[in-house]
């Protein structure tokens, strides 16, 4: 703060927000040794307010619902699914990393999703099963008229369908997926839904600056 000035600040302590209005004045004194002391000041608290910041779990307990959107990376850097080193390789005996992420994250978030319906998107590939949408954001559901799938099983089935019916391409653009998710999120505000976008990718991003 500057001397003889006022200011407002916020103090974040865990889940508490404090608003403090301060006034500071200059006070100079003369010491007994004849030397001038350093400037001293006082702070007067004009107003103070504590506001509790609810946690995410408290929002859920209060009735907030989750709406899950999952986006899968189908860029060439993942490797064609028929290659042994491919990140999209489908092996009935074990899950690949994408399947593991769907299983582990989806099994948790769907507990807070009342209708268990999930939007499944793909990006970075050329979908062979639909004409709508671009390679930067497209649905990977088996039925083009149904953009959502039901539950964890539906998420795995949509992913499997996407792997079998999408030609890997590029580049890796997140912006179209995020923009679509933001549009969905705006519509969910009125229905008291918290939108979660889960992006599963191999880590190469070409539009990070956006």
């Amino acid at each position: 703060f500057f001397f003889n000035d006022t200011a407002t600040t916020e103090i974040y302590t865990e889940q508490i927000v404090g608003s403090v209005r301060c006034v500071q004045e200059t006070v100079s004194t003369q010491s007994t040794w004849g030397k001038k002391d350093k400037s001293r000041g006082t702070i007067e608290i004009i107003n103070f307010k504590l506001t509790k910041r609810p946690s995410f779990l408290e929002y859920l307990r209060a009735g907030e619902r989750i709406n899950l959107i999952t986006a899968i990376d189908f860029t060439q850097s993942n490797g064609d699914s028929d290659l042994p080193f491919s990140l999209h390789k489908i092996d009935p005996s074990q899950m690949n990393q994408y399947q593991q992420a769907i299983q582990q994250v989806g099994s948790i978030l769907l507990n807070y999703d009342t209708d268990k319906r999930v939007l499944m998107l793909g990006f970075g590939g050329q979908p062979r099963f639909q004409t709508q949408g671009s390679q930067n954001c497209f649905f990977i559901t088996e039925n083009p008229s149904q953009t959502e799938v039901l539950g964890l099983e539906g998420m795995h089935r949509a992913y499997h369908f996407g792997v079998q019916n999408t030609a890997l391409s590029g580049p890796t653009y997140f912006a179209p997926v995020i923009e679509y998710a933001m549009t969905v999120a705006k519509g969910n505000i009125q229905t008291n839904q918290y939108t979660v976008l889960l992006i599963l990718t191999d880590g190469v991003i070409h539009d990070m600056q956006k």
Side-chain angles (χ1 to χ4, degrees):
F1 300 110
F2 295 101
F3 291 151
N4 302 316
D5 195 9
T6 63
T8 301
T9 186
E10 289 186 342
I11 301 173
Y12 292 87
T13 307
E14 294 180 350
Q15 298 175 355
I16 302 299
V17 177
S19 179
V20 184
R21 182 176 176 82
C22 303
V23 177
Q24 189 172 25
E25 299 177 350
T26 302
V27 178
S28 299
T29 60
Q30 193 76 14
S31 71
T32 56
W33 297 96
K35 295 181 180 181
K36 191 174 183 180
D37 287 342
K38 294 181 180 180
S39 296
R40 298 172 180 169
T42 60
I43 297 178
E44 180 182 358
I45 299 177
I46 305 299
N47 181 35
F48 185 77
K49 182 180 179 181
L50 293 179
T51 304
K52 182 175 175 58
R53 303 178 66 199
S55 67
F56 181 61
L57 287 178
E58 287 175 321
Y59 275 115
L60 295 177
R61 293 191 190 104
E64 191 83 9
R65 295 181 297 161
I66 281 182
N67 177 244
L68 178 60
I69 302 174
T70 301
I72 308 294
D73 182 346
F74 288 105
T75 55
Q76 189 64 53
S77 58
N78 287 280
D80 291 329
S81 59
D82 57 347
L83 298 175
F85 59 82
S86 173
L87 296 177
H88 284 308
K89 181 176 177 57
I90 302 297
D91 185 346
S93 64
Q94 61 181 358
M95 291 185 177
N96 63 35
Q97 294 183 37
Y98 282 94
Q99 291 171 310
Q100 291 176 32
I102 290 172
Q103 180 70 29
Q104 294 171 7
V105 180
S107 62
I108 295 174
L109 294 181
L110 286 176
N111 289 323
Y112 305 99
D113 190 328
T114 54
D115 63 5
K116 313 296 183 186
R117 305 198 72 84
V118 182
L119 272 167
M120 295 294 294
L121 304 174
F123 63 93
Q126 296 283 359
R128 295 188 287 263
F129 49 87
Q130 64 186 51
T131 57
Q132 295 181 344
S134 69
Q135 67 176 24
N136 296 319
C137 184
F138 53 89
F139 299 112
I140 56 173
T141 51
E142 298 177 70
N143 186 347
S145 63
Q146 298 292 329
T147 58
E148 296 178 318
V149 299
L150 182 60
L152 199 56
E153 182 180 348
M155 293 176 69
H156 280 293
R157 188 167 55 247
Y159 168 71
H160 193 275
F161 177 79
V163 169
Q164 291 183 322
N165 295 276
T166 303
L168 303 186
S169 183
T172 307
Y173 288 156
F174 279 8
V177 169
I178 294 174
E179 289 170 359
Y180 177 78
M182 290 175 62
T183 301
V184 175
K186 289 178 182 178
N188 287 337
I189 292 176
Q190 302 301 322
T191 57
N192 205 35
Q193 293 186 75
Y194 187 95
T195 304
V196 176
L197 172 61
L198 172 64
I199 299 179
L200 303 180
T201 180
D202 67 351
V204 179
I205 306 171
H206 295 116
D207 61 346
M208 180 64 77
Q209 293 182 350
K210 292 185 179 181

